[in-house]
Amino acid sequence: MRLDKLLSECGVASRKESARAVRAGQVSVNGFPVRTADVQVDPDADRIIYCGRKVLWRKFVYVMLNKPDGYVSATEDGRGERVVTELLPEEYRKRGLFPCGRLDKHTLGLMLLTDDGQLSHRLLSPKRHVAKSYAFHVKFPLSEDDITSLESGVDIGGYTTKPCTVALENEREGIITITEGKYHQIKLMMEAVHNQITYLERRTFGPLSLDPALARGEWRELTEGEIELLNQS
Ligand code: URA
């Protein structure tokens, strides 16, 4: 693989920046400064140093973010809204990380961002029934009948939701677990039982659980174990 391609795919430098750094003698491969940015390198075996920093090659990157209120699930927004990728360092944005699925602007919690398009596609496929659980608060008390309706399926604008589970912590708070991802699904499900969501936080997504050490707006890369679980799911 070409050195400048590798540096740009890692989000370290554009091809132009790489050429400039090479000319300035700031790029070395296995201890030797390189003369041209188009030299062939083996990303798995060669030790590449760019401006004093070791370049870490990974085919894909997976990030868990604790989404704060007020951010939209996108990489850019033409209407001046804040987007979740703004919360990541520039090198991740340069790599082209995008949110795997959407959370509404006011929904909080677990969001996966990656540049692995295939994995993202698989996790979001309606055929896979990947479970997602959300902590919720609603405006009015939920009755036994409401829970039965929600769990067996309610009409949200002409679509009947698939069976789900609702575990109440008290009459206005609980955890709902769904295996699909229609637009505004939980908000609309609560509206179908004449109620209203006042708080929504995603706690799990497939095998991933929101890391309690992450404050709102904080992120970390997934562990090897978490990536393996995602690939198996
Ligand atoms: N359901 C919703 O209504 N909103 C979300 O953000 C996620 C699920």
Side-chain angles (χ1 to χ4, degrees):
M1 176 180 216
R2 276 173 62 137
L3 174 63
D4 52 1
K5 182 165 192 284
L6 173 115
L7 293 172
S8 91
E9 282 193 7
C10 291
V12 169
S14 67
R15 294 215 175 167
K16 245 187 190 161
E17 288 165 339
S18 297
R20 211 176 300 134
V22 165
R23 276 199 303 277
Q26 289 181 314
V27 188
S28 68
V29 176
N30 301 326
F32 297 98
V34 289
R35 288 164 197 262
T36 57
D38 62 359
V39 66
Q40 289 292 320
V41 290
D42 176 348
D44 292 319
D46 291 332
R47 180 179 163 79
I48 299 160
I49 307 287
Y50 179 89
C51 296
R53 277 175 62 196
K54 186 172 186 299
V55 175
L56 287 178
W57 161 254
R58 280 155 310 159
K59 194 164 165 42
F60 299 117
V61 168
Y62 307 88
V63 165
M64 175 189 293
L65 168 75
N66 185 346
K67 180 187 171 299
D69 189 17
Y71 283 77
V72 297
S73 303
T75 52
E76 50 190 68
D77 184 277
R79 292 157 304 171
E81 299 266 26
R82 288 174 297 180
V83 295
V84 286
T85 48
E86 278 173 35
L87 297 160
L88 305 180
E90 199 182 343
E91 65 192 74
Y92 288 101
R93 276 181 278 141
K94 277 196 189 160
R95 275 191 76 114
L97 255 66
F98 58 86
C100 174
R102 280 162 175 266
L103 291 178
D104 293 342
K105 184 174 167 183
H106 297 297
T107 301
L108 315 169
L110 175 55
M111 171 149 259
L112 171 67
L113 295 111
T114 183
D115 48 3
D116 183 345
Q118 257 183 13
L119 178 95
S120 174
H121 189 73
R122 244 198 9 255
L123 290 172
L124 298 176
S125 162
K127 288 188 209 124
R128 297 245 165 196
H129 311 295
V130 171
K132 298 137 205 139
S133 65
Y134 296 80
F136 68 87
H137 299 178
V138 283
K139 194 162 180 184
F140 310 109
L142 284 163
S143 67
E144 283 292 324
D145 282 353
D146 293 336
I147 301 300
T148 307
S149 301
L150 289 167
E151 289 193 327
S152 50
V154 286
D155 179 71
I156 54 168
Y159 172 80
T160 304
T161 55
K162 300 233 156 31
C164 72
T165 60
V166 180
L168 280 189
E169 276 153 24
N170 60 54
E171 58 185 8
R172 294 196 301 114
E173 297 178 11
I175 304 281
I176 180 165
T177 303
I178 58 175
T179 55
E180 48 188 346
K182 301 286 173 207
Y183 190 53
H184 293 325
Q185 178 159 344
I186 296 169
K187 181 172 169 258
L188 296 174
M189 287 173 77
M190 292 304 172
E191 284 174 13
V193 294
H194 313 289
N195 215 318
Q196 202 177 307
I197 283 285
T198 56
Y199 175 91
L200 194 58
E201 178 192 35
R202 184 153 68 186
R203 294 275 177 83
T204 70
F205 179 37
L208 298 181
S209 294
L210 179 61
D211 185 338
L214 292 178
R216 296 274 182 243
E218 286 186 348
W219 60 272
R220 67 160 169 81
E221 287 202 19
L222 295 192
T223 63
E224 291 288 320
E226 286 170 329
I227 296 169
E228 205 168 313
L229 286 173
L230 275 185
N231 280 312
Q232 287 162 7
S233 67

